[in-house]
Structures are given as C-alpha cells and as structure tokens.
Amino acid sequence: MSFPLLTATAALPALGAVATAAVPAARRTAAKWLALIVSLATLALGITILVRFDPGGDRYQLTESHAWIADFGVRYELGVDGIAVALIGLTALLIPFIILAGWHDADPLETGNKRWRPTQGFFALILAVEAMVIISFEATDVFLFYIFFEAMLIPMYFLIGGFGDSAHEHGDEAAATQRSYAAVKFLLYNLVGGLIMLAAVIGLYVVAGNFSLAEIAQARANGTLHMATNTERWLFLGFFFAFAVKAPLWPLHTWLPNAMGEATTPVAVLITAVVDKVGTFAMLRFCLQLFPNASKWATPVILVLAVISIIYGALLAVGQRDIKRLVAYASISHFGFIVLGIFAMTSQGQSGATLYMVNHGISTAALMLVAGFLISRRGSRLIADYGGVQKVAPVLAGTFLIGGLATLSLPGLAPFVSEFLVLVGTFSRYPAIGIIATFGIVLAALYTLVLYQRTMTGPVKPEVASMPDLRPRELLVVAPLIVLLIFLGVYPKPVTDIVNPSVKQTLSDVHKKDPKPSVEAAK
C-alpha cells in the first residue's frame, strides 16, 4: 500500500491545529512556533505532491478510495488533477506567510481593562482552515467535498468575529459590534448557499445513485446515466449558487467587503487568497464535469454576471476611502475575470482562469499584507490619513507599489499573463463581452495608482513622519511573494504546464472546442 500523501497533506494541519490549541495559555510563543513549523511541513508535502504529479498522466492521480458510509454510496475518495495541484501549492505556500504576518495579531490587548484573547486559538483556527481547504481541493466524492466546503465556515466565523481588526487596535464596543456583524453576514450568506447546494447534492444522489465524481462523469460519458434537461439545470443551479457565493460573484458578493474590512489583515488574506478559491475551483471541477449541458445553457447569464462583477467591483474600488475595502472590491473585480475565463469555454480562457487563481492569491497577499503593515503603524485604514510615506519608509512604499502594479496586471508581473489569457479566450468566442471586460483593466489602473499617490507620495503628514520601515519579519513575509510575482510574470510555464492538460480535459467534458481563427495563418 502506497503512502497516503493526499490524506497526510490535509491531516497534518488538522492535527497541528489540535496540538496548537492544546498548548498551555502561558506559552503563547510556543504555540506560534508550532503553528509555523506545521505550516512549513505542510508546504513540504505540497511540494511533494507537485513533484510526484505527472501532467501527462491520468486525469486524477495519487488517488485514495475507501468505503465510508456504504449504505448511502459515500466514499472517502481523493485525487488531484493539475488544477487542484496548483491550488494546493498556493494554499500551502501562503499559510506560513499568513502566520508570520499575524505573529502579534492575537496577543493580549493592553487597554484600560486588559482583555485576554486566545492566541493559541487564532493560529489553530488558521491551520484548521488550511486542512479543510486542502481536502476540498482533493475530494473526488461530492458528499465528502460538501462536508468540508461547509465545515470551513466555522473556523472562519471565529477568525472574523473573534479577532477583528478594529478591536485589535482599540478594543471598543463599536468595533466589536462591527466585526460581529461582518462574521454573521459571512456565515449566513455562505450557509444559505450551502443549504441550497445540499438539496442539489441529495438530488444528484437520487439521480445517479452515488457521489463519486469519476463514476458519475463516466456514466454520463458512456450514456448509461441520463438526466432530464430540467433536472440537470436545477442541480447545476444548486451547485453554482453555492460556489458563486463563495467566489464571490455579483450580486452575492456583499459579505466580502465587510469580512475583509473587519478581519485582521492575515485573515483577510486567508479569505480572498485561499478560501474564496474553493468556489471558482468547484465551478471547474463539479459544475462543468457533472452538468455539461446545463453549464452551456447557463453560460450567457453567467458571463453577464461576471462582466458586471468586473466593472462594478472596479468602480466601487475607485470610490473607496478605506484601504482594506478597496482591496476587497478589487478582488470582486478579479474574481469576475476568473469566472469569465471559466465560462468562456475556451482553453485559453480556462487556463487563464486557473492561472489567475494562483496569481491573484499571490498578488493580493502581497498587497494586502503590506497594507496591513502600513495600517498597524498608523492605526487607521483611511486613505486620507496617509501621505508622503515613501519618503520615510521607502522599502514599505516600494513593496506596496509592486503589489499594486501586480493588482492592475502590469506586463512583467504574474497577473498580466492570466488576465491576458482570459481576455484572449473570451474575445475568440464572445467579442462583445471581452470588449466590456477590458474596461476593468483601465479602472484597475485608476484605483491602484490613485491609492498609491494618496498614501505614498506628496508632503509627509505629521502622523507618518516617524513611521518605521519594514522590519526583518515583515520583509521575510513580503519579499518571497514579490519574487514570485516577478518570476511567474516573466516565466509562467511551470504553472501552465501543470494546469493545461487538466483544462483540456475539462473543456472536453462540456464538448467544446476552441473557435477556429477567422483568418487562416499563411502557409
């Protein structure tokens, strides 16, 4: 029996979460180091998955399958394709940086009435989220996926509601109320989506008789499983609704700005760079593969929603006065591009969407973490409270600029390649949609450059005159992300080689081929 690598990769952070939570309260530093070591060990396992995965091999590799709830056709089935491998790698990569960035975010508050906070719990919850996200990427049993898709809401709720950003600095009751509101809104939105998906999961079992993704897809391909048109469409809508909430896609997005604004900066990164990727990943793995005809039927409406997300998110980002909420609305715009690439139904679009998930995770983490370091120094999220930072903290300003330029998809940085592929894939099949989506790039340049201008340039405000530059721990967090943005911007081939074969197989699930060029190449 071979070593269960996929199980180990998800189980290690889960066990690490339990061990971290069990560390005595007086040994907070030991809990931090334990969480960091566990996250680094998980990264090592993620790299092992990457090394052992063969892009030219079977669709799902490193598979594991064991009986679980046999009476209901539920199995413990795991397997990874190239898309899952890339996202597991992203998750395992970002968690150590999130832990390092949040090193002091759960320390006891020094206020008039000293408030105790469970430092161990903060880091244990981050590891628990990592475990659930990883197994969501690995699960090839629909019911197994659903369990962890929903279960990750619990630790996220406590991370948002128990360790809010404003309350960290001031400890006031108004801030506590705001973060509680954000946590409840996050939970309710995602629970409603999950309950609708549960009904669809049950409906799928009634139709197919099991929950195995591979078996259901194979039965559909062989013609041994037939779904009535209306049945398939309703089941698709049940799955897609839950994934659109998680993504988040307009108009189901409104929980994200509240959650990111009130969460600590590392938790905000965890939300948008890691957790939200489960929604767009699931669209590729489950919606297209299980319901190919319904996916094509819903494509026109989904493309319109994606374009609205792109423009709407970017426009609201332009008008924001709060740095963290600006990044949140920018992420809504970027997720619109990802959904657009998925449902453009072209190999370029879906490769770009998958690459966009990876690149958006890295670029948003870089920008948001530097913004968090900036906010922690000044004690304010308002853009108007800054000015002239580049004169007193040039390294902080420089890394902030690179993160911002990546967000607007500057050529030479990683997100440019993915955004370019999404637009090329969209133009080839839906030129009008592609033209409208391109305006999102213009708006991205506007909100990013205006943000940098107002915070980093101009006269030095008295409140930032003594602001220290990035410290060694903060540089250790940001520098590798900047290096990755430049490397993948110049040489994205390592990621595209992994994801392209899986994208072609996904495209074949919906019986789509790339459109022929309107002008034949000269012979």
Side-chain angles (χ1 to χ4, degrees):
M1 181 178 177
S2 59
F3 178 72
L5 181 58
L6 298 186
T7 294
T9 307
L12 180 59
L15 295 173
V18 175
T20 301
V23 173
R27 304 189 64 184
R28 292 189 300 272
T29 301
K32 297 175 184 179
W33 279 106
L34 176 59
L36 180 60
I37 291 169
V38 169
S39 68
L40 291 172
T42 304
L43 175 58
L45 290 177
I47 294 171
T48 304
I49 292 175
L50 183 64
V51 170
R52 290 186 58 182
F53 182 78
D54 177 13
D58 295 337
R59 181 171 191 172
Y60 293 108
Q61 300 178 31
L62 306 174
T63 55
E64 302 173 33
S65 181
H66 306 283
W68 185 18
I69 311 175
D71 291 342
F72 296 98
V74 180
R75 297 185 62 82
Y76 177 80
E77 286 190 347
L78 306 179
V80 290
D81 59 4
I83 300 169
V85 167
L87 293 175
I88 290 170
L90 172 70
T91 303
L93 172 73
L94 291 181
I95 296 299
F97 296 126
I98 288 171
I99 289 173
L100 272 175
W103 201 251
H104 298 298
D105 281 9
D107 289 346
L109 287 170
E110 297 291 344
T111 61
N113 295 317
K114 186 174 179 180
R115 292 174 54 196
W116 175 82
R117 292 187 299 174
T119 303
Q120 291 86 336
F122 179 75
F123 294 98
L125 289 170
I126 291 174
L127 291 176
V129 172
E130 179 182 24
M132 294 175 186
V133 169
I134 288 175
I135 203 166
S136 296
F137 291 142
E138 296 173 344
T140 55
D141 182 277
V142 177
F143 191 78
L144 179 66
F145 168 84
Y146 174 78
I147 288 174
F148 290 99
F149 179 82
E150 286 293 278
M152 70 180 70
L153 301 180
I154 299 171
M156 286 305 307
Y157 169 79
F158 288 109
L159 283 170
I160 297 168
F163 302 90
D165 188 53
S166 300
H168 277 193
E169 297 299 327
H170 307 293
D172 57 68
E173 293 304 319
T177 301
Q178 290 173 6
R179 77 170 189 262
S180 296
Y181 170 78
V184 171
K185 189 173 184 180
F186 162 82
L187 187 65
L188 289 179
Y189 266 68
N190 284 275
L191 274 179
V192 169
L195 290 173
I196 292 174
M197 181 182 170
L198 177 60
V201 168
I202 295 171
L204 180 66
Y205 176 75
V206 171
V207 173
N210 66 79
F211 295 104
S212 172
L213 176 66
E215 290 183 17
I216 295 172
Q218 186 63 38
R220 296 217 62 180
N222 294 340
T224 56
L225 173 61
H226 300 280
M227 287 189 194
T229 300
N230 286 337
T231 299
E232 181 178 350
R233 290 176 179 179
W234 281 112
L235 294 178
F236 167 86
L237 290 174
F239 277 75
F240 180 80
F241 183 87
F243 303 152
V245 171
K246 184 84 79 180
L249 185 68
W250 183 91
L252 306 171
H253 67 284
T254 60
W255 62 267
L256 182 65
N258 296 98
M260 287 186 64
E262 298 306 321
T264 65
T265 299
V267 172
V269 173
L270 185 65
I271 294 169
T272 190
V274 177
V275 173
D276 287 353
K277 299 300 187 300
V278 177
T280 46
F281 163 80
M283 292 178 190
L284 279 165
R285 170 165 283 190
F286 296 102
C287 286
L288 299 190
Q289 193 169 346
L290 292 174
F291 315 110
N293 296 325
S295 296
K296 290 184 286 187
W297 162 76
T299 288
V301 174
I302 294 173
L303 292 179
V304 170
L305 295 178
V307 168
I308 293 174
S309 288
I310 292 169
I311 304 301
Y312 172 86
L315 283 173
L316 264 65
V318 171
Q320 287 303 305
R321 297 180 296 172
D322 182 310
I323 296 174
K324 292 175 72 175
R325 289 178 72 90
L326 185 152
V327 178
Y329 281 110
S331 290
I332 291 169
S333 181
H334 295 149
F335 275 102
F337 276 107
I338 295 172
V339 175
L340 183 68
I342 292 171
F343 284 90
M345 301 293 185
T346 60
S347 59
Q348 300 98 328
Q350 292 186 354
S351 292
T354 305
L355 190 60
Y356 212 135
M357 291 187 232
V358 175
N359 292 338
H360 172 265
I362 299 171
S363 62
T364 299
L367 178 62
M368 194 70 181
L369 290 175
V370 178
F373 298 146
L374 178 70
I375 292 167
S376 67
R377 284 158 166 75
R378 174 68 176 84
S380 173
R381 304 195 316 240
L382 296 179
I383 296 171
D385 288 341
Y386 296 87
V389 174
Q390 68 180 10
K391 296 177 182 177
V392 297
V395 177
L396 188 154
T399 52
F400 189 81
L401 178 61
I402 295 174
L405 293 176
T407 298
L408 65 82
S409 298
L410 183 77
L413 296 175
F416 168 76
V417 182
S418 43
E419 198 164 282
F420 177 78
L421 286 172
V422 167
L423 289 174
V424 167
T426 304
F427 269 113
S428 64
R429 198 180 292 277
Y430 304 100
I433 294 288
I435 291 170
I436 299 171
T438 304
F439 283 101
I441 301 175
V442 179
L443 294 172
L446 180 60
Y447 63 69
T448 300
L449 297 178
V450 168
L451 171 65
Y452 184 83
Q453 179 191 33
R454 292 178 178 175
T455 55
M456 301 296 163
T457 66
V460 179
K461 290 200 172 184
E463 295 84 358
V464 304
S466 59
M467 180 178 289
D469 214 334
L470 290 183
R471 302 179 179 92
R473 173 181 60 86
E474 296 167 338
L475 273 173
L476 184 61
V477 170
V478 176
L481 298 175
I482 299 297
V483 170
L484 271 175
L485 286 174
I486 296 171
F487 175 77
L488 292 178
V490 176
Y491 190 64
K493 191 173 183 292
V495 180
T496 55
D497 283 350
I498 292 172
V499 304
N500 282 347
S502 297
V503 164
K504 291 179 180 177
Q505 290 170 324
T506 301
L507 200 58
S508 69
D509 291 334
V510 291
H511 310 293
K512 283 280 191 178
K513 295 181 179 179
D514 289 329
K516 291 183 178 180
S518 56
V519 177
E520 295 291 338
K523 295 182 180 180

